[in-house]
Structure formats: structure tokens, C-alpha cells
Amino acid sequence: MARPVTRPPLRVHWHKSESGKWLSLKNLDLTHHLVKQQGVYIVFDPSDTLYGILYVGQGKVDERLDERKKDERILELAELDELYVTWAVISGGKGRREGVERFLADTLQPVVGQHPNVPPIPVNVPSLFE
């Protein structure tokens, strides 16, 4: 019987500030060129290790994060001042981004959101609660 082929996770770069800290969702400059790319993102509250992962999504990062800043489902759970974000640029089209989003949602179990019903594409997961 043939063994299933497993491939190593896709290595992506999770964005932080220049000082190496997670980025505040409230204060994030959405006009910055790195935020204007297609990718996946995670919105989280690092002070809440039980329900700290609030949202995982994908798309044009600046537009999606602007939507999350106003998302009542998220704002009911935490103050905007307490929310942080990271994202990773994902090349290869929407199908690949959806697969990475599915993997992150399965792995991180965000409190809010629906995710595509596609095969997951494993990636390295950031350590959000360091």
C-alpha cells in the first residue's frame, strides 16, 4: 500500500513592525505598499490566550483589514485598541489563498468568520502569544 505523500508546510513571512512587535490593527497604516498585496491575515488579541484568535481571512490585505476595523462581530469581543494583526503575502491565486486560509482556520480556530470549504494548504503558523 502506497503511503500518502506529505509535503512540508509552505514557508511564509508573517509581518511585524520594524521593531519586531505585532502590529496594532487600529494604528496600522493601510496605505503602506506591503499591505496592498494579496494574502492571508490573522486578527488577534494577544492578552486573551483562550479566545485570542478572532479572525482569519484572505484577499487584498488592506481592504480586508479596513473591513475588520469596523466589523461588529470582532468589536463585540475586544476593544479596537487591544487588537493586533499579522499577514503573509500568498502568491499563486485565490485558490491557494483559500487553501492557506482553510489551514489557518482549522489550526487556530478563530472565534468569528466562515472559511472556504477547500483542501487546506499547510503553512508555518506565527507564535502570536509570545
Side-chain angles (χ1 to χ4, degrees):
M1 178 179 262
R3 291 179 142 177
V5 176
T6 59
R7 56 183 187 203
L10 178 65
R11 298 289 304 164
V12 298
H13 171 73
W14 292 102
H15 287 271
K16 289 184 172 183
S17 71
E18 289 181 9
S19 63
K21 297 186 186 293
W22 296 118
L23 296 153
S24 164
L25 179 59
K26 180 180 181 180
N27 299 320
L28 182 64
D29 178 4
L30 294 174
T31 63
H32 193 277
H33 71 280
L34 287 175
V35 191
K36 294 191 168 293
Q37 298 184 25
Q38 298 283 345
V40 295
Y41 62 91
I42 303 167
V43 177
F44 62 101
D45 177 352
S47 68
D48 185 348
T49 57
L50 183 59
Y51 298 109
I53 308 297
L54 300 179
Y55 200 94
V56 170
Q58 59 85 22
K60 191 170 178 207
V61 175
D62 63 331
E63 292 174 1
R64 299 290 193 219
L65 292 179
D66 189 48
E67 291 170 8
R68 298 294 76 82
K69 284 183 176 185
K70 304 167 195 162
D71 191 328
E72 290 298 323
R73 301 169 301 169
I74 292 172
L75 297 176
E76 287 176 1
L77 299 169
E79 297 292 324
L80 190 56
D81 289 343
E82 300 168 358
L83 296 177
Y84 289 80
V85 65
T86 187
W87 72 91
V89 174
I90 304 292
S91 59
K94 183 177 180 181
R96 192 170 196 194
R97 289 192 315 272
E98 286 180 342
V100 172
E101 177 187 354
R102 173 85 262 164
F103 174 79
L104 292 170
D106 290 348
T107 302
L108 299 174
Q109 298 292 304
V111 177
V112 178
Q114 295 180 340
H115 308 283
N117 187 16
V118 299
I121 297 175
V123 295
N124 56 303
V125 177
S127 298
L128 301 171
F129 300 102
E130 296 180 328

